[in-house]
Amino acid sequence: MHITDYELFEVPPRWLFLKLTTSNGAVGWGEPVVEGRARTVATAVEELLDNYLLGEDPTRIEDHWQTMYRGGFYRGGPILMSAIAGIDQALWDLKGKQFGAPVHELLGGRARDRVRVYQWIGGDRPADVGEAAREKVDAGFSALKMNATAELRAVDTPAAVSDAVDRIAAVREAVGDEVDIGVDFHGRVSKPMARRLASALEPYDPMFVEEPVLPENNDALPAIRASTTVPIATGERMYSRWEFKEVLEADAVDVIQPDVSHAGGITEVKKIASMAEAYDVSVAPHCPLGPIALASCLQVDACTPNALIQEQSLDIHYNETSDVLDYLADPSVFDYEEGFVDVPDGDGLGIEIDEAHVREQAEKDVDWHNPVWRHPDGSVAEW
């Protein structure tokens, strides 16, 4: 068996799907994308497949990963690692189908039967969070996540802090103490504001504060972590075990959030998770993406003892034109009950992509880019 062909499909709302085909007719699916840079990643995928994988045995996943990563002199970064990630997912999907087993069985077997998930509320500029929180808890979710703020200045007003406090207070009042609330700083917050916000939010017991500072300022995380009892989470914009090594060795985080479509795929994220286990750090994979990325996350979660909770993008504010379940032949694989989803036990990634729908949607014009925000003085703000 060898890889004979591939196709890429840019589909709404902002996803890129990869289909790998082999000489015996088997098909594997992956989701290589950087949101807002899908076409750039598509070119990287084409280069990797044309240069290294066409004509090769798809089962040698580790060797292919090493070749794609180390075969070029320049390594890492969001584009290359996301391209590798989607190819890696498709290779694992093929391998699971070859052996008639879900990917997690090939990675050592289950460490759990179901995976806890959380639901987004509030949008980019968080609003109406109390009502949204009640609705999601009534729908069965036991964990929520929200953005802490809209754009912030490097040193902002007391009102900006109190507005953030009022929002999480409204959610806590709406759902009580039995529901977890993750608060995403989204890299919008400067070092001094991160300390002020984390301290102000403490009375409401967030599940974690996510990305309190930009990843290029990870050196500030130990001091921020030392200043608060709220668990610190980060990692959606970190792309390899070498980047995670630094925050783990610095005792800077409590929860890491590698993205299985950005951080080198299933192969790399499983290694990152095992590194984190040795530091008593939990894993909550980042996944505001499509069904292939989510299925890949759940395969890793299933066999990872330190997996804490899984992000998923059903009804997230980005999914205005299409949603996760639209691309599945059997959407019930992602049925959420009591805040959990069962581990997919089908072969490979455990999902069946509705290829006809993918092809139909790929005919549409997809041109998603994140907004560019500006402060009142006209300078660029972090989104």
Side-chain angles (χ1 to χ4, degrees), residues 2-15:
H2 58 275
I3 299 169
T4 57
D5 199 8
Y6 66 88
E7 292 180 87
L8 287 157
F9 305 93
E10 188 177 2
V11 296
R14 55 179 191 160
W15 304 330

Side-chain angles (χ1 to χ4, degrees), residues 70 108 213 274 308:
R70 298 167 63 187
V213 290
S274 295
L308 175 69

Side-chain angles (χ1 to χ4, degrees), residues 236-278:
E236 68 184 72
R237 287 185 277 185
M238 298 163 63
Y239 308 110
S240 73
R241 75 199 88 144
W242 294 281
E243 292 177 62
F244 282 94
K245 178 180 72 171
E246 295 179 1
V247 296
L248 293 171
E249 290 182 343
D251 195 23
V253 294
D254 302 286
V255 181
I256 58 166
Q257 300 169 302
D259 190 309
V260 182
S261 278
H262 297 329
I266 291 170
T267 298
E268 184 70 355
V269 170
K270 183 63 175 127
K271 294 176 181 179
I272 292 166
S274 295
M275 288 172 57
E277 184 184 4

Side-chain angles (χ1 to χ4, degrees), residues 69 74 128 156 196 252 258 267 274 279-280 306 325 368 370 381:
Y69 182 80
Y74 299 99
D128 302 321
D156 218 314
R196 286 172 61 187
T267 298
S274 295
Y279 288 88
D280 194 24
N306 53 323
L325 304 183
W368 187 90
N370 61 258

Side-chain angles (χ1 to χ4, degrees), residues 9 132 170 197 222 227 229 240 247 255 289 338 360:
F9 305 93
L197 275 173
S227 72
T229 62
S240 73
V247 296
V255 181
L289 294 171
E338 300 177 336
E360 177 185 331

Side-chain angles (χ1 to χ4, degrees), residues 147-220:
N147 280 315
T149 70
E151 57 269 55
L152 282 184
R153 296 195 297 270
V155 178
D156 218 314
T157 63
V161 176
S162 62
D163 286 348
V165 170
D166 290 346
R167 281 188 290 270
I168 191 171
V171 174
R172 181 58 74 201
E173 181 179 357
V175 303
D177 292 338
E178 299 299 318
V179 174
D180 283 317
I181 307 168
V183 182
D184 191 355
F185 284 20
H186 214 254
R188 297 172 183 170
V189 182
S190 65
K191 290 187 288 185
M193 292 303 295
R195 293 193 298 271
R196 286 172 61 187
L197 275 173
S199 177
L201 298 181
E202 257 186 26
Y204 303 96
D205 291 322
M207 175 170 56
F208 52 69
V209 163
E210 177 175 334
E211 216 175 28
V213 290
L214 290 163
E216 48 262 49
N217 294 325
N218 277 347
D219 58 306

